[in-house]
Amino acid sequence: MTFTRTLTLYVSRRFAAMTVAMLAALACLVALFDLIELLRRAATRPDATFGLVSQIAALRLPFVAMQILPFAILLGGITAFWRLTRSSELIVARAAGISAWGFLGGPVVVAVLLGTVATTVVSPLSSAMLARAERLDAQFLRNTSGITALAGGRLWLRQSDPGLEPQGVAILSGRPVPVTNLRPGEAFRLDEVTLWRLSAEDRPLARVEAPSAVLEPGRWVISDAVTFGADRMPSPTRRLDLATELTPNRIQDSFASPDTLSFWALPDFIQILENAGFSAVRHRLQFQSLLALPLLAAAMALLSAGFSMRSSRRGGVGQMIGGGVAAGFALFVIDKVTGEFGEAGTLPVLFAAWAPAGAGFLLATALLLHLEDG
């Protein structure tokens, strides 16, 4: 029993060290390519300095590490187990009567811990840093407009407003009305509306208060609007038409990306979206995928063991390792494909998030059973 525990700890340390090294190497490699792409985009932007581009790439690094963690566990595990097999350490242990199940518990626990830490600790850090990177990217490399935010049940929209100044800006705030409460002919409506009309230098030009604003093709129709000018005196109520390029789909697509929300913030944001009448499928899928990450990590650890513990004297080691890499990559692709189907609503969210991890775990278990028991 003591020997088995000692062997398990030894194999676990080797597995953890190789996995962390592989994760660092892959993350740095992907970050390098990301930096090159950002430099290419920044070539025509005089305000985008090398320091700014490097900052954006560095802010994306935890997100990159989260994305490649399962594949890093697979490659790190394959390398660790192959080295232990090549040095005959695992062969001697198995010849002494220790089954693979006797020492694989440690690496599986390490993989589950890595997945759990990634979900509960790295995810909040990754989301905050990615949100900062996206803001810098949008400000200096994309120069996009149409910023939206949803907090406290109120929707905030920013758009161009040439009505008072050619380069004017409008900021519209209100409470989205659920789809079930819309009147006939309405596609999108805000209640308790406040509109700020600003100059290009963000100098206030007017403030508008209204009970509701309906989004129609090419315009906001603001009923019973009261306008407060520079003298802060209210005008008589009237209908106000505000030109816009926004559509209900564009508003929904511009909400905070699920990747920029931490694991702990997703449930509340999902509730806010659904209370506002919007679809929260993408956010639910992200939340369930983060929950399934420890299981996917365990599946990758078992898969790496099943494809790398074959004795080199029996031949075909290269094909086995190549098969392990191919199987892990196929599982990674399946995870992304089911995620796309889940976002489109073709597959249930729970199935799309958990099926790849569950299938990988069952495949790895079957492979190890065949390897150990024939």
Coordinates of all heavy atoms in Angstrom, one line a residue, residues 87-125:
S87 N 11.4 4.8 -19.8 CA 12.4 4.5 -18.8 C 12.1 3.2 -18.0 O 12.8 2.9 -17.0 CB 12.6 5.7 -17.8 OG 11.3 5.9 -17.1
S88 N 11.1 2.5 -18.4 CA 10.6 1.2 -17.8 C 10.1 1.3 -16.4 O 9.9 0.3 -15.7 CB 11.8 0.2 -17.8 OG 12.2 0.0 -19.1
E89 N 9.9 2.6 -15.9 CA 9.4 2.7 -14.5 C 7.9 2.2 -14.4 O 7.6 1.4 -13.4 CB 9.4 4.2 -14.1 CG 10.8 4.7 -14.0 CD 10.9 6.2 -13.8 OE1 10.9 7.0 -14.8 OE2 10.9 6.7 -12.6
L90 N 7.1 2.5 -15.3 CA 5.7 2.0 -15.3 C 5.7 0.5 -15.6 O 4.8 -0.2 -15.1 CB 4.8 2.8 -16.2 CG 4.6 4.3 -15.9 CD1 3.6 4.9 -16.8 CD2 4.1 4.4 -14.4
I91 N 6.6 0.1 -16.5 CA 6.6 -1.4 -16.9 C 7.0 -2.2 -15.6 O 6.3 -3.2 -15.4 CB 7.6 -1.6 -18.0 CG1 7.1 -0.8 -19.3 CG2 7.7 -3.1 -18.3 CD1 8.1 -0.9 -20.4
V92 N 7.9 -1.8 -14.9 CA 8.3 -2.5 -13.7 C 7.2 -2.5 -12.6 O 6.9 -3.5 -12.0 CB 9.6 -1.9 -13.1 CG1 9.9 -2.5 -11.7 CG2 10.8 -2.1 -14.0
A93 N 6.5 -1.3 -12.5 CA 5.5 -1.2 -11.5 C 4.3 -2.2 -11.9 O 3.7 -2.9 -11.0 CB 5.0 0.2 -11.4
R94 N 4.0 -2.2 -13.2 CA 2.9 -3.1 -13.6 C 3.3 -4.6 -13.5 O 2.5 -5.4 -13.2 CB 2.5 -2.7 -15.0 CG 1.9 -1.3 -15.1 CD 1.7 -0.9 -16.5 NE 0.5 -1.6 -17.1 CZ 0.2 -1.4 -18.4 NH1 0.9 -0.6 -19.2 NH2 -0.8 -2.1 -18.9
A95 N 4.6 -4.8 -13.8 CA 5.1 -6.2 -13.6 C 5.1 -6.7 -12.1 O 5.0 -7.9 -11.9 CB 6.5 -6.3 -14.2
A96 N 5.2 -5.7 -11.2 CA 5.1 -6.0 -9.8 C 3.7 -6.2 -9.3 O 3.4 -6.4 -8.1 CB 5.8 -4.9 -9.0
G97 N 2.7 -6.1 -10.2 CA 1.3 -6.4 -9.9 C 0.5 -5.2 -9.6 O -0.7 -5.3 -9.2
I98 N 1.0 -4.0 -9.9 CA 0.2 -2.7 -9.7 C -0.5 -2.4 -11.0 O 0.1 -2.2 -12.0 CB 1.2 -1.6 -9.3 CG1 1.9 -1.9 -7.9 CG2 0.3 -0.3 -9.1 CD1 2.8 -0.9 -7.5
S99 N -1.8 -2.4 -10.9 CA -2.6 -2.1 -12.1 C -2.5 -0.6 -12.4 O -2.1 0.2 -11.6 CB -4.0 -2.4 -11.9 OG -4.9 -1.9 -12.9
A100 N -2.7 -0.2 -13.7 CA -2.7 1.2 -14.1 C -3.7 2.0 -13.2 O -3.5 3.2 -12.9 CB -3.0 1.3 -15.5
W101 N -4.8 1.3 -12.8 CA -5.8 2.0 -12.0 C -5.2 2.4 -10.6 O -5.8 3.3 -10.0 CB -7.1 1.2 -11.9 CG -7.7 0.8 -13.2 CD1 -7.7 -0.4 -13.8 CD2 -8.4 1.7 -14.1 NE1 -8.3 -0.4 -15.0 CE2 -8.8 0.9 -15.2 CE3 -8.7 3.0 -14.1 CZ2 -9.5 1.4 -16.3 CZ3 -9.5 3.5 -15.1 CH2 -9.8 2.7 -16.2
G102 N -4.2 1.7 -10.3 CA -3.6 2.0 -8.9 C -2.8 3.2 -8.8 O -2.7 3.8 -7.8
F103 N -2.2 3.7 -10.0 CA -1.5 4.9 -9.9 C -2.0 6.1 -10.8 O -1.5 7.1 -10.8 CB 0.0 4.7 -10.3 CG 0.2 4.0 -11.7 CD1 0.1 4.8 -12.8 CD2 0.4 2.7 -11.8 CE1 0.3 4.2 -14.1 CE2 0.6 2.1 -13.0 CZ 0.5 2.8 -14.2
L104 N -3.1 5.8 -11.5 CA -3.7 6.9 -12.4 C -4.6 7.8 -11.6 O -5.1 8.8 -12.1 CB -4.5 6.2 -13.6 CG -3.6 5.7 -14.7 CD1 -4.5 5.2 -15.8 CD2 -2.7 6.8 -15.2
G105 N -5.0 7.3 -10.4 CA -5.9 8.2 -9.6 C -5.3 9.6 -9.3 O -5.9 10.6 -9.3
G106 N -3.9 9.6 -9.0 CA -3.3 10.8 -8.7 C -3.3 11.8 -9.9 O -3.7 13.0 -9.8
P107 N -2.8 11.4 -11.1 CA -2.9 12.3 -12.3 C -4.4 12.8 -12.6 O -4.5 13.9 -13.0 CB -2.4 11.4 -13.4 CG -1.5 10.5 -12.8 CD -2.1 10.2 -11.4
V108 N -5.3 11.9 -12.4 CA -6.7 12.3 -12.6 C -7.1 13.4 -11.6 O -7.8 14.4 -12.0 CB -7.7 11.1 -12.6 CG1 -9.1 11.6 -12.6 CG2 -7.4 10.1 -13.7
V109 N -6.7 13.2 -10.4 CA -7.0 14.2 -9.4 C -6.3 15.6 -9.7 O -6.9 16.6 -9.6 CB -6.6 13.7 -8.0 CG1 -6.7 14.9 -7.0 CG2 -7.5 12.6 -7.5
V110 N -5.1 15.5 -10.2 CA -4.4 16.7 -10.6 C -5.1 17.4 -11.8 O -5.3 18.6 -11.8 CB -2.9 16.3 -11.0 CG1 -2.3 17.5 -11.7 CG2 -2.1 15.9 -9.8
A111 N -5.6 16.6 -12.7 CA -6.3 17.2 -13.9 C -7.6 17.8 -13.4 O -7.9 18.9 -13.9 CB -6.6 16.1 -14.9
V112 N -8.3 17.1 -12.5 CA -9.6 17.7 -12.0 C -9.3 19.0 -11.2 O -10.0 20.0 -11.4 CB -10.3 16.7 -11.1 CG1 -11.5 17.3 -10.4 CG2 -10.8 15.5 -12.0
L113 N -8.2 19.0 -10.4 CA -7.9 20.2 -9.7 C -7.5 21.4 -10.7 O -7.9 22.5 -10.4 CB -6.7 19.9 -8.8 CG -7.1 19.1 -7.5 CD1 -5.8 18.8 -6.7 CD2 -8.1 19.9 -6.6
L114 N -6.8 21.1 -11.7 CA -6.4 22.1 -12.7 C -7.7 22.7 -13.3 O -7.8 23.9 -13.5 CB -5.5 21.5 -13.8 CG -4.1 21.2 -13.4 CD1 -3.3 20.5 -14.5 CD2 -3.4 22.6 -13.0
G115 N -8.6 21.8 -13.7 CA -9.9 22.2 -14.3 C -10.7 23.0 -13.3 O -11.3 24.1 -13.7
T116 N -10.7 22.6 -12.0 CA -11.5 23.4 -11.0 C -10.9 24.7 -10.8 O -11.6 25.8 -10.7 CB -11.6 22.6 -9.7 OG1 -12.1 21.3 -10.0 CG2 -12.4 23.3 -8.7
V117 N -9.6 24.8 -10.7 CA -8.9 26.1 -10.4 C -9.1 27.0 -11.6 O -9.4 28.2 -11.5 CB -7.4 25.9 -10.2 CG1 -6.7 27.2 -10.2 CG2 -7.2 25.2 -8.8
A118 N -9.1 26.4 -12.8 CA -9.3 27.2 -14.0 C -10.7 27.8 -14.0 O -10.9 29.0 -14.4 CB -9.1 26.4 -15.3
T119 N -11.7 27.0 -13.6 CA -13.1 27.5 -13.6 C -13.4 28.5 -12.5 O -14.0 29.5 -12.8 CB -14.0 26.3 -13.4 OG1 -13.9 25.4 -14.5 CG2 -15.5 26.7 -13.3
T120 N -12.9 28.3 -11.3 CA -13.3 29.1 -10.2 C -12.3 30.3 -9.9 O -12.7 31.3 -9.3 CB -13.4 28.2 -8.9 OG1 -12.1 27.6 -8.7 CG2 -14.4 27.2 -9.1
V121 N -11.1 30.1 -10.3 CA -10.1 31.1 -10.0 C -9.6 31.9 -11.2 O -9.6 33.1 -11.2 CB -8.9 30.5 -9.2 CG1 -7.8 31.6 -8.9 CG2 -9.3 29.8 -7.9
V122 N -9.2 31.1 -12.2 CA -8.6 31.8 -13.4 C -9.7 32.4 -14.2 O -9.5 33.5 -14.8 CB -7.8 30.7 -14.3 CG1 -7.3 31.4 -15.5 CG2 -6.7 30.1 -13.4
S123 N -10.9 31.9 -14.2 CA -12.0 32.4 -15.0 C -12.3 33.9 -14.6 O -12.4 34.8 -15.5 CB -13.2 31.6 -14.9 OG -14.4 32.2 -15.4
P124 N -12.4 34.3 -13.4 CA -12.6 35.7 -13.0 C -11.5 36.6 -13.5 O -11.7 37.7 -14.0 CB -12.8 35.7 -11.5 CG -13.2 34.3 -11.2 CD -12.5 33.4 -12.2
L125 N -10.3 36.1 -13.3 CA -9.1 36.9 -13.8 C -9.1 37.0 -15.3 O -8.9 38.1 -15.8 CB -7.8 36.2 -13.3 CG -6.5 36.9 -13.7 CD1 -6.4 38.3 -13.1 CD2 -5.3 36.0 -13.3

